Amino acid sequence: MRTRLLNLLAAIVYLLAARALPADEQHKPVTAKQSHALRDHRSMTTEAKLYRDGLLVVETETESTHLTRGLRGRVFLVMVNDQGEAIAITEQFGCTTRGSTTDITTPHRGKDLFKTKIPDAVAKQTASIDIYQGEEVDLDKTWNNFRVAADAVGKLVVIAIKVL
């Protein structure tokens, strides 16, 4: 049922698109990179690449150099068309927990790789990707705000994460 709904929403997004991307941009993957210094000596860097066949690859590096605080990083992406309209949003990707520098049982730095498939229509209409990243608690509020906006507008496709 959920997959059917996502496919229907993707088809609507495709039909509502006012114009296609320029010919030379239609076949290139869409890439984005975001680095973010969190408070208390912690950081996240995320790179995303969306292939036109719908394969989305996200790599996030998380690090905590704080003496006592670790990091539970979360990331979600918003796909944007060439008119600046948000057309899809991913669920949150949960990064591996990073320990503080004094925690000898948990690595304080590492990378996570996420792969998921998004509807072809969304992949073809995406002109750019906005990356939102941060701590679990802080990012939950932002993601929930996007979900409320998506429900209100009714045109935004929410992509459930199915790790490939």
Side-chain angles (χ1 to χ4, degrees):
M1 174 79 173
R2 185 177 179 142
T3 303
R4 187 184 229 177
L5 180 61
L6 288 175
N7 288 337
L8 177 63
L9 288 172
I12 292 169
V13 168
Y14 185 75
L15 293 173
L16 291 176
R19 60 180 190 218
L21 293 172
D24 60 333
E25 295 295 316
Q26 288 181 353
H27 304 292
K28 291 182 182 178
V30 179
T31 60
K33 183 175 182 177
Q34 174 80 34
S35 294
H36 191 78
L38 305 171
R39 61 184 178 272
D40 295 334
H41 304 283
R42 295 165 307 145
S43 63
M44 296 179 70
T45 299
T46 299
E47 292 183 57
K49 185 179 275 191
L50 173 60
Y51 296 91
R52 295 303 177 177
D53 65 353
L55 177 63
L56 176 64
V57 179
V58 180
E59 182 177 27
T60 301
E61 182 174 6
T62 51
E63 179 178 26
S64 173
T65 57
H66 193 271
L67 288 176
T68 58
R69 289 193 69 185
L71 173 60
R72 273 194 183 161
R74 298 291 183 264
V75 177
F76 73 88
L77 309 175
V78 177
M79 274 42 96
V80 181
N81 67 14
D82 62 345
Q83 297 172 4
E85 300 170 330
I87 57 173
I89 180 174
T90 66
E91 297 280 347
Q92 291 187 50
F93 294 101
C95 302
T96 303
T97 300
R98 302 297 169 204
S100 64
T101 56
T102 56
D103 181 353
I104 60 171
T105 63
T106 308
H108 69 93
R109 181 181 190 180
K111 288 185 179 183
D112 292 288
L113 183 67
F114 308 100
K115 297 178 198 171
T116 190
K117 181 85 166 120
I118 68 168
D120 290 351
V122 172
K124 287 178 173 63
Q125 294 301 317
T126 300
S128 64
I129 301 171
D130 292 341
I131 298 172
Y132 293 86
Q133 59 188 2
E135 272 195 282
E136 181 178 29
V137 175
D138 298 334
L139 199 66
D140 279 345
K141 294 174 190 171
T142 304
W143 189 81
N144 285 330
N145 288 340
F146 266 99
R147 288 298 301 263
V148 169
D151 291 341
V153 173
K155 291 194 318 186
L156 196 61
V157 177
V158 179
I159 301 163
I161 292 176
K162 179 180 177 186
V163 178
L164 302 176

